[in-house]
Amino acid sequence: MFATLSDRLTSTFKNLRAKGRLSEADIDATIREIRRALLDADVAVPVVRQFTGAVRERALSAEVSGALNPAQQVVKIVNDELVGILGGQTRTVAFAKQPPTVILLAGLQGAGKTTLAGKLALWLREQGHTPLLVAADLQRPNAVTQLQVVGERAGVPVYAPHPGNQGSDDVLPAGADPVAVARSGLETAHQRQHDVLIVDTAGRLGVDAELMSQAADIRDAVDPDEILFVVDAMIGQDAVTTAQAFADGVGFTGVVLSKLDGDARGGAALSIASVTGRPIMFASTGEKLTDFEVFHPDRMASRILDMGDVLTLIEQAEKAFDAEQAEKMAGKLVGGEDFTLEDFLVQMQQLKNMGSLKKMFGMLPGMGQMREALENFDEREVDRIEAIIRSMTPGERQNPKIINGSRRARIARGSGTTTSEINQLLERFEGAKKMMRQMARGGGMPGGMPGMGNLPGMGGKKSRGRQAPPKRGKGARSGNPAKRAEQERAAAARAAGEAPPAPSGSAFGLGGAAPAQDDAAFDPGSLPAGLGDLFKGR
C-alpha cells in the first residue's frame, strides 16, 4: 500500500546522502519533497502541515548540524515523526477485570467488519482466550450466514438467535432487534463462561442518523470495554471524515485498518490516528483469517522508509516453523550430515506456511529497490518445486547426483514441468547445500544467499558471456613503481639463495621471516629492541 510513498521518500533521502553538510536550502528542498510525497499519498492536509513543520524545526536544530552524518540524522527525525503520527506506541485489547471483555465492532458497510470479527476471534483464541461472536448485523443480506461461516473457519462459536435479512434489499426485517440480540449475547457469554464477546454490528454505505442511533443503542446495551472502528484503508480522505463522525456519534477506543494489502496510496493510515487521537490497534493484511496482525507504529514507519520489518518477519517465522523440525535439522548439520532434497522440501513447505512470499520478502530491508522483481515473483513457483521433488524417488531425494537424463525426463513428466526446470532446481539446491555446509563449519552465511540473484519465479535472466576478472597470481607485477621495485629486489634475493628483505610496512619489520618451529630455535634477541625483553626467561 505504501509503495509510492516509500519510493518517493527513499529517493529524497538518497539525494541527501551525497552531501557531507546540509544547508538550510537543502533542508527546505527535502521538506518540499516530503510534503509533495505525503499529499500525493492522500494524507490529510492538517497532518501534512504538522508533520513537515515538526521535521523542519528539528532538522534546523543542533541535532542535525552537530551530527557526524547529517543525512542519516534527518532520516531518523522523519522516522521518529512518522511513528508519532501513526500513534506512537503499540496498543492491543485492554481486557476487563471481570470477564467477559466486550468488543464492539463499528464502521461503514463494506469495510470488512464481519471478516475482521473472525480474524480477531482467531487471534484471541490463539492467545488462549475463549471468544464468542454475536451476529447483531441483521440488516445486510446474509450477514448472519457469513459470520457463521467465518466463525466455523476460525473455530469460534457464533451466537445468532435471528437469521437476519435473507432477501436482496438492505433493510431490517420485521421483528428483528439488533439491540436485543447483543444484550442476550452478553448473557450467553456469562452463562457459557466465554471470556471475550465480539459483537458484529450493521453498517451503512454512508454515515446517517439511523446508523449512529443503532450503534449507540447497542453500545449502551452491552457497555463495551473496547469499541473498534473498522475502516477500509483504501478510501483515502473519506476515512478521516468517517472516523471523525463515528468518534462524535458513537465514540471508539481504537482503529482497525482493513485491506492494508491493497494498492491505494495509504493516506488513511497516516491520518486517522493523528486526527482522531485514537490509536491504530490492528491491521488486516489479506483475505485469509491469518492475515491479521497487531499494528506497530514503529515497524510501519520502518516499512515506509524501506528499512524493513524484521521483527514481524521473525514473529511470523516462529509461528510457521516447527521448532522440533528446526532442532532436528540443526543436529543433522552439526553431525556433518548433508542437506538433502527431502530437507529442502520441508523448508519450502514451512516457508509456505508463513504466508505470501511477496509480503515476506517485502519485509526485508532495502527490498524497495527490487520492487519490480517482487511484483514479477510468481507465488506458484514453490508449488512447482514441491511437485518436482514429490515426483522423485526416495533415493533420488537423498542423492540427487544419480539423477541422469532419463530420470530427469521421468520427473518432468510426473511433475508437469520441463527438464530445464529440473536442472534449475538442482542448481539452486546445490547452492543451498553449499551454504548449509559453510554454516555447519561455523563460517556463517556465505557472500550471498544462493540463488538470490535470480529468485525463482522472478523472471530474471542468467548472466551469459560474463567472465570474472582474472585473479592476480603470486608472480603478478604491481602497477605501483615502489611496490614493483620491492618485488624485483625480493625476486633477486630468492634467486641468490638469500632471505628476501622485509617488505616495508610489515608488522615490526619482521617481514616474511619463517616462524620458529620450536622454543629452542626461538631467539628473543632477534626481535626489535623492547619486544625481546617480553620473552626473556621463557
Side-chain angles (χ1 to χ4, degrees):
M1 170 161 283
F2 298 107
T4 304
L5 176 60
S6 178
D7 289 345
R8 291 280 297 273
L9 291 178
T10 304
S11 175
T12 300
F13 297 139
K14 192 174 182 180
N15 295 333
L16 276 184
R17 292 191 182 100
K19 301 183 179 183
R21 295 178 62 86
L22 297 181
S23 65
E24 186 172 345
D26 293 330
I27 291 172
D28 286 341
T30 302
I31 298 298
R32 278 196 302 274
E33 288 300 319
I34 293 174
R35 184 184 296 112
R36 288 195 191 105
L38 292 174
L39 290 173
D40 286 347
D42 225 2
V43 179
V45 174
V47 177
V48 174
R49 286 202 193 101
Q50 177 191 343
F51 180 82
T52 53
V55 171
R56 188 177 191 281
E57 184 179 347
R58 288 184 60 184
L60 290 173
S61 68
E63 182 180 356
V64 170
S65 59
L68 292 175
N69 191 323
Q72 288 182 0
Q73 197 66 26
V74 171
V75 175
K76 178 183 179 300
I77 290 170
V78 172
N79 181 72
D80 292 346
E81 296 300 327
L82 270 178
V83 172
I85 68 170
L86 287 169
Q89 294 182 343
T90 304
R91 189 173 95 72
T92 56
V93 176
F95 294 99
K97 292 181 180 178
Q98 294 293 328
T101 299
V102 181
I103 302 173
L104 180 67
L105 301 182
L108 293 180
Q109 187 172 308
K113 289 191 303 299
T114 302
T115 305
L116 189 117
K119 291 182 177 183
L120 179 59
L122 176 61
W123 180 79
L124 288 166
R125 188 170 70 83
E126 289 175 345
Q127 304 295 316
H129 297 282
T130 54
L132 174 67
L133 291 165
V134 176
D137 181 0
L138 307 180
Q139 181 167 320
R140 182 169 61 87
N142 298 309
V144 174
T145 305
Q146 182 189 355
L147 186 65
Q148 288 172 328
V149 171
V150 168
E152 185 179 353
R153 286 169 53 202
V156 175
V158 177
Y159 178 74
H162 195 286
N165 185 2
Q166 298 294 309
S168 57
D169 296 329
D170 190 11
V171 294
L172 192 66
D177 187 353
V179 179
V181 169
R183 189 181 291 114
S184 58
L186 180 57
E187 292 172 2
T188 303
H190 277 291
Q191 292 167 5
R192 298 181 185 174
Q193 296 186 339
H194 291 278
D195 67 344
V196 180
L197 184 74
I198 302 172
V199 183
D200 180 29
T201 63
R204 298 287 191 283
L205 294 176
V207 176
D208 58 25
E210 187 183 354
L211 167 66
M212 291 302 174
S213 175
Q214 186 184 108
D217 289 344
I218 294 175
R219 176 200 63 195
D220 296 339
V222 297
D223 188 21
D225 300 283
E226 296 277 13
I227 302 176
L228 301 184
F229 174 60
V230 183
V231 61
D232 184 343
M234 299 177 69
I235 65 174
Q237 292 286 336
D238 283 345
V240 178
T241 308
T242 308
Q244 197 65 60
F246 269 88
D248 297 337
V250 182
F252 56 85
T253 58
V255 178
V256 180
L257 290 174
S258 65
K259 307 178 188 177
L260 202 62
D261 57 321
D263 57 358
R265 291 172 288 183
L270 295 174
S271 306
I272 286 182
S274 183
V275 170
T276 65
R278 299 290 185 270
I280 302 172
M281 292 170 57
F282 299 102
S284 174
T285 57
E287 295 180 0
K288 296 180 182 177
L289 289 181
T290 51
D291 293 335
F292 178 81
E293 59 186 48
V294 175
F295 187 87
H296 299 277
D298 54 342
R299 300 184 191 180
M300 186 55 68
S302 183
R303 289 190 204 182
I304 292 171
L305 296 177
D306 196 27
M307 294 189 288
D309 185 359
V310 178
L311 287 176
T312 299
L313 189 60
I314 291 170
E315 288 172 3
Q316 290 185 1
E318 285 176 343
K319 286 192 291 185
F321 280 75
D322 185 351
E324 186 179 340
Q325 186 68 39
E327 190 175 342
K328 183 180 175 183
M329 176 66 69
K332 186 174 182 179
L333 291 174
V334 170
E337 294 182 51
D338 245 344
F339 186 64
T340 67
L341 276 167
E342 196 73 56
D343 301 324
F344 192 60
L345 177 61
V346 171
Q347 297 295 316
M348 296 299 287
Q349 288 171 332
Q350 292 189 342
L351 203 60
K352 270 176 65 177
N353 292 339
M354 290 181 66
S356 167
L357 292 181
K358 282 185 184 179
K359 199 180 297 180
M360 186 186 71
F361 286 135
M363 290 182 189
L364 296 172
M367 289 304 283
Q369 300 168 22
M370 297 178 63
R371 200 177 308 284
E372 186 178 347
L374 281 177
E375 289 302 319
N376 294 331
F377 180 80
D378 187 356
E379 297 273 2
R380 295 170 299 177
E381 181 70 15
V382 178
D383 296 326
R384 280 193 284 271
I385 290 173
E386 190 174 342
I388 290 171
I389 297 177
R390 289 194 181 280
S391 298
M392 297 178 182
T393 65
E396 289 168 345
R397 294 181 200 175
Q398 292 295 323
N399 183 17
K401 291 183 179 177
I402 67 172
I403 302 177
N404 54 21
S406 61
R407 288 176 185 259
R408 287 171 202 242
R410 189 203 79 240
I411 294 167
R413 286 195 302 272
S415 58
T417 56
T418 63
T419 52
S420 62
E421 288 178 286
I422 310 296
N423 295 336
Q424 288 171 12
L425 170 61
L426 293 176
E427 285 175 14
R428 285 200 295 268
F429 170 71
E430 284 300 319
K433 191 159 74 170
K434 287 177 184 175
M435 181 188 78
M436 290 297 184
R437 282 176 183 164
Q438 183 158 344
M439 290 174 69
R441 289 197 298 266
M445 197 75 75
M449 286 284 286
M452 283 297 281
N454 181 22
L455 282 169
M458 283 194 175
K461 295 179 180 178
K462 291 186 179 180
S463 57
R464 293 186 179 92
R466 294 183 188 173
Q467 293 183 353
K471 292 186 179 179
R472 247 187 176 166
K474 288 185 179 178
R477 297 181 65 186
S478 171
N480 186 310
K483 285 188 178 180
R484 188 163 62 246
E486 187 176 293
Q487 288 175 344
E488 290 170 355
R489 286 198 301 274
R494 279 194 294 270
E498 301 171 2
S504 59
S506 58
F508 307 122
L510 293 176
Q517 300 299 316
D518 51 58
D519 285 347
F522 179 77
D523 179 15
S526 64
L527 291 173
L531 286 177
D533 297 335
L534 296 174
F535 295 89
K536 287 182 180 177
R538 288 178 71 221

